[in-house]
């Protein structure tokens, strides 16, 4: 069912979907269990994404189909008409580029920023299979592999200053391959994963992140061997080591 929007109805949609407030809404379609919103960008000036030259000339328009956050338990698709523009700066390496809508679109993405953020949180909390089941309930059909790719694509959190460090080994493949997990004991947050449980790898990490005052660890052989090596290269009393178990 196709429904052309009046001014008051468009205002209601802006209330329900505030991330669409900078767009011109044309119509809404009811497509048997999902909602399709057809919109287009305005005619305001757009700066080149590479050199910032303003304004860029319009080359043509094209349509993008974006999956958005569900509304009322129904999946929402935004069919968005955007401009492709030409940069007039002869020194700019970008010939043409597509405009992006802040808070809604990103390059090479088929999901809105809001939906991507939601799926990232689901993936971090539940990972693959369980996250995929929850996402389906929330109106977003994704595979467990997609959720894992989203997690891997997220930027690493800056470690910052760590004064109390927890370290322990864990099995990537029991009996064959092991790694080490590092935890900020003040915030109880995992800050890094080392590829193995060798003393040299741990000592290199400590040299790259000075300021650790206390290390909490178990009596594993590899990590214990790392402690004397670290002390040999640092002034006495630099760090204290607390044994667990």
């Amino acid at each position: 069912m196709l429904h052309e929007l009046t001014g008051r109805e468009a205002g209601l949609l802006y209330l329900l979907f505030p991330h669409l407030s900078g767009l011109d809404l044309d119509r809404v379609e009811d497509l048997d269990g999902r909602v399709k919103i057809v919109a287009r960008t305005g005619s305001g000036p757009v700066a080149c994404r590479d050199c910032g030259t303003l304004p860029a000339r319009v080359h043509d328009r094209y349509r993008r189909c974006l999956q958005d956050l569900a509304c009322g338990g129904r999946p929402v698709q935004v069919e968005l008409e955007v401009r492709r523009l030409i940069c007039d700066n002869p020194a700019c390496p970008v010939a043409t580029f597509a405009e992006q809508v802040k808070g809604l679109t990103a390059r090479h993405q088929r999901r809105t920023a809001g939906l991507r953020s939601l799926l990232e949180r689901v993936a971090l909390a539940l990972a693959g299979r369980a996250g995929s089941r929850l996402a389906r309930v929330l109106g977003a059909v994704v595979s467990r592999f997609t959720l894992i790719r989203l997690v891997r694509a997220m930027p690493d959190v800056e470690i910052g200053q760590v004064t109390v460090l927890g370290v322990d080994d864990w099995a990537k493949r029991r009996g064959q391959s092991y790694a080490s997990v590092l935890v900020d004991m003040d915030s109880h947050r995992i800050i890094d994963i080392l590829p193995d449980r060798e003393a040299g790898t741990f000592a290199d990490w400590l040299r790259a992140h000075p300021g650790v005052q206390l290390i909490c660890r178990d009596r594993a052989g590899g990590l214990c061997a790392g402690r004397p090596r670290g002390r040999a290269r640092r002034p006495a009393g630099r760090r204290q080591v607390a044994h667990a178990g």
Side-chain angles (χ1 to χ4, degrees):
M1 182 177 66
L2 177 65
H3 182 73
E4 300 290 341
L5 293 175
T6 65
R8 181 172 297 181
E9 291 169 337
L12 179 59
L13 272 183
Y14 290 140
L15 182 63
L16 295 175
F17 302 93
H19 51 289
L20 304 180
S21 58
L23 305 175
D24 296 330
L25 303 182
D26 293 335
R27 64 182 185 273
V28 176
E29 299 180 21
D30 186 354
L31 302 176
D32 295 330
R34 62 187 178 94
V35 178
K36 180 178 179 181
I37 301 175
V38 180
R40 50 190 166 82
T41 58
S43 57
V46 178
C48 174
R49 64 175 172 84
D50 190 78
C51 68
T53 298
L54 186 73
R57 292 184 293 118
V58 177
H59 177 60
D60 61 7
R61 284 180 171 266
Y62 75 101
R63 292 186 178 274
R64 297 180 62 176
C65 291
L66 304 168
Q67 301 302 317
D68 198 6
L69 293 167
C71 182
R74 305 175 68 187
V76 175
Q77 182 186 65
V78 179
E79 185 177 292
L80 179 63
E81 183 181 280
V82 298
R83 295 173 290 178
R84 181 170 291 279
L85 303 111
I86 302 174
C87 180
D88 287 328
N89 182 4
C92 181
V94 176
T96 64
F97 63 96
E99 67 176 324
Q100 305 295 335
V101 180
K102 185 177 180 180
L104 181 66
T105 66
R107 295 181 64 196
H108 312 304
Q109 295 295 323
R110 297 184 179 180
R111 300 182 182 91
T112 63
L115 179 58
R116 182 182 178 88
S117 177
L118 174 67
L119 293 178
E120 287 174 348
R121 294 181 183 183
V122 170
L124 288 174
L126 299 176
R129 286 186 175 87
S132 178
R133 292 194 292 268
L134 177 60
R136 185 181 295 272
V137 174
L138 297 175
V141 180
V142 292
S143 69
R144 66 181 190 272
F145 304 107
T146 297
L147 294 178
I148 293 174
R149 283 196 297 269
L150 287 175
V151 172
R152 289 177 174 173
M154 296 176 67
D156 293 334
V157 179
E158 185 177 352
I159 294 177
Q161 182 66 46
V162 180
T163 56
V164 183
L165 177 69
V167 56
D168 199 2
D169 58 341
W170 59 281
K172 294 186 289 186
R173 190 172 182 182
R174 187 173 296 277
Q176 299 186 35
S177 180
Y178 289 84
S180 299
V181 58
L182 305 181
V183 180
D184 184 347
M185 301 303 292
D186 290 327
S187 63
H188 303 284
R189 179 174 60 90
I190 296 176
I191 56 175
D192 210 346
I193 299 291
L194 303 184
D196 53 47
R197 55 178 179 178
E198 299 300 322
T201 304
F202 183 42
D204 290 341
W205 191 95
L206 290 174
R207 281 191 290 270
H209 302 84
V212 177
Q213 300 298 324
L214 182 66
I215 300 174
C216 304
R217 60 173 177 80
D218 60 17
R219 298 180 183 272
L223 296 178
C224 281
R227 174 187 165 191
R229 291 183 59 184
R231 281 187 175 180
R233 300 185 182 184
R234 294 178 178 84
R238 178 70 176 275
R239 292 190 180 88
Q240 301 177 16
V241 179
H243 297 281

